[in-house]
Amino acid sequence: MQVFLVGGAVRDKLLNLPVKDKDYMVVGSTVEAMLDKGFQQVGKDFPVFLHPKTQQEYALARTERKSGRGYEGFVCHADESVTLEQDLLRRDLTINAIAEDESGKLHDPYNGIKDLESRILRHVSAAFSEDPLRVLRVARFAARFAPQGFTVASETVALMQQMADSGELKALTAERVWQEIDKVLDCAQPQVFFEVLRQCGALKEILPEIDALFGVPQPEKWHPEIDSGIHTMMVLEQAAKLTTDKAVRFAALTHDLGKALTPKDQWPKHHGHGQKGLAPIKQLCSRIRVPNELRDLALLMSDQHQNIHNAFELRAETLLKIFDKADFWRKPQRLSQLLVCCHSDIRGRTGFEDKDYPQAEYVTQCFNLASEIAVKPIVEAGYKGADIKQQLSKQRIEVIAEYKAAQSKARF
């Protein structure tokens, strides 16, 4: 019986990155032998065990054979005859097919170390194409390791293209698709995930609402990058620089979906695109089961980002309606999320990457002043029922209007 450290732990160690989880592979053993040593079996489809003391995962070396469509259509074989090389051959990328034995010696039958040094994501074998989930995983690895300079090998992109064209991606469940996107939203450069998927033709299969933005022009005066899809990727990139909040990053990704619905004879203008985008956002979120918190901020961003950009020109009554509609009174954190997302939108344009966003401070102050208006004095003044709300709104409008006038005078 031989034990090897495998997968991401070895890869990240060689990249001098923090090692979070350790997975071990056991060669030359059986289920019975592992149980006799006190290991607890947890895998049903293939033998995975928990170490009796450390609770870390140990899996028997195994081979896999394609038996049906999708990422679950496999027959697994594991016994003491399966070799280290056979187990590593079934893995997705060469950089994930490196093993370290108990003496610290590295075993690298598929040149993963060379690809680590060259910063290349390359599939191990043609068996890669048997699992459609690997298309998303490679795109996610591309996003995760973009800061280290990794790119996807051309032959791997070509294979991913074949997989996208085959229709196999349709076998992916909504849960698995969202799991990958959820992980991607934690990456420093999440836009790379969507760029890789588009490069191999998978974006139109997984997220057609995002893919439809590419090729849709915008006014060059405001958008030197012109293409709506490119702008969306730039906005997501800027959002990732401004915040780690996944809800903001997702809202940045979906904020302009309405532009794909603009009739061509109206290009490059997109009147009302924020409101047009509400339906495709709901459709996308329902299909891949996006959490409600992220969906709601995405809808708010689509609906209100143009208003926030034009905040200095809005009447006090209009600002109050926005605050009421978004229920910032009970959820003030949603206002800060919206403002960061709007700042990302402004910066997500060629030549505007470092632009300030004074609207954020202005809107925040308007809201803070309005929030300071207390209900108690209104009640004590004798107002009742609906009149209380009406008087509250009146006083809030007045304080916003006063601040707006002072700011206008200061600017001019």
Side-chain angles (χ1 to χ4, degrees), residues 152-394:
V152 184
S154 58
E155 62 267 32
T156 301
V157 173
L159 186 55
M160 292 164 66
Q161 174 77 64
Q162 294 176 20
M163 295 168 69
D165 293 343
S166 73
E168 273 275 300
L169 297 182
K170 291 181 174 61
L172 296 174
T173 65
E175 291 82 1
R176 293 310 296 266
V177 171
W178 174 247
Q179 282 177 16
E180 293 299 312
I181 295 174
D182 184 53
K183 293 175 183 176
V184 163
L185 292 175
D186 275 329
C187 295
Q189 297 184 35
Q191 76 281 0
V192 174
F193 173 82
F194 304 97
E195 291 167 350
V196 170
L197 289 185
R198 185 164 188 272
Q199 183 183 8
C200 71
L203 188 61
K204 65 178 180 290
E205 300 295 331
I206 301 297
L207 296 169
E209 298 88 352
I210 304 297
D211 187 72
L213 291 170
F214 289 89
V216 176
Q218 305 162 107
E220 186 175 4
K221 177 181 178 181
W222 307 112
H223 289 277
E225 72 284 351
I226 299 178
D227 190 286
S228 296
I230 293 174
H231 166 63
T232 296
M233 296 298 100
M234 295 175 72
V235 174
L236 178 56
E237 179 181 11
Q238 291 299 323
K241 291 180 178 179
L242 290 172
T243 182
T244 59
D245 188 333
K246 288 193 287 190
V248 173
R249 294 179 176 193
F250 181 75
L253 174 69
T254 59
H255 80 286
D256 266 352
L257 294 190
K259 289 180 177 177
L261 303 179
T262 302
K264 289 184 179 182
D265 61 4
Q266 296 179 20
W267 287 357
K269 296 182 179 180
H270 299 278
H271 295 299
H273 71 274
Q275 291 64 50
K276 292 177 183 177
L278 300 179
I281 289 174
K282 292 177 182 177
Q283 173 182 294
L284 184 157
C285 291
S286 175
R287 188 179 68 253
I288 63 174
R289 302 182 186 178
V290 176
N292 291 345
E293 178 187 355
L294 275 68
R295 178 203 62 197
D296 291 347
L297 183 63
L299 291 170
L300 177 62
M301 175 61 181
S302 182
D303 189 39
Q304 295 296 338
H305 68 276
Q306 284 300 119
N307 279 334
I308 300 300
H309 292 335
N310 298 324
F312 293 123
E313 287 73 49
L314 297 182
R315 296 165 58 240
E317 292 87 346
T318 303
L319 278 170
L320 185 63
K321 286 180 181 179
I322 294 172
F323 298 162
D324 287 341
K325 183 178 181 181
D327 195 16
F328 291 147
W329 315 112
R330 291 192 305 159
K331 301 175 182 178
Q333 76 283 354
R334 189 177 286 179
L335 173 59
S336 61
Q337 289 176 311
L338 173 63
L339 294 174
V340 172
C341 204
C342 287
H343 194 180
S344 304
D345 187 28
I346 290 298
R347 285 189 168 186
R349 300 175 295 160
T350 301
F352 293 85
E353 292 83 357
D354 297 316
K355 189 171 178 59
D356 292 332
Y357 195 61
Q359 291 94 325
E361 182 179 352
Y362 174 74
V363 173
T364 299
Q365 187 61 16
C366 287
F367 175 72
N368 289 341
L369 290 169
S371 297
E372 291 173 0
I373 304 298
V375 175
K376 185 177 180 181
I378 297 174
V379 175
E380 291 176 344
Y383 290 94
K384 298 180 180 179
D387 291 339
I388 296 175
K389 184 177 181 180
Q390 183 178 4
Q391 185 65 20
L392 179 63
S393 294
K394 178 183 177 182

Side-chain angles (χ1 to χ4, degrees), residues 2 4 6 23-27 34 46-49 56-62 78 87 90-91:
Q2 293 179 288
F4 298 88
V6 293
D23 294 318
Y24 295 89
M25 183 243 292
V26 180
V27 175
M34 297 295 286
F46 51 85
V48 177
F49 306 84
Q56 290 177 321
E57 288 192 357
Y58 286 67
L60 292 184
R62 67 183 188 271
D87 182 278
R90 67 175 175 79
R91 296 175 183 266

Side-chain angles (χ1 to χ4, degrees), residues 57-117:
E57 288 192 357
Y58 286 67
L60 292 184
R62 67 183 188 271
T63 59
E64 293 173 345
R65 176 174 56 83
K66 184 74 169 174
S67 61
R69 287 178 63 83
Y71 59 91
E72 294 181 336
F74 292 91
V75 173
C76 172
H77 171 70
D79 63 30
E80 64 270 30
S81 68
V82 179
T83 66
L84 171 68
E85 291 74 18
Q86 287 175 317
D87 182 278
L88 295 178
L89 182 64
R90 67 175 175 79
R91 296 175 183 266
D92 51 6
L93 298 171
T94 60
I95 65 169
N96 296 330
I98 309 168
E100 179 182 287
D101 64 26
E102 292 175 284
S103 69
K105 179 182 177 181
L106 295 174
H107 299 258
D108 180 28
Y110 306 110
N111 298 313
I113 294 176
K114 180 180 178 181
D115 284 340
L116 277 177
E117 293 171 347

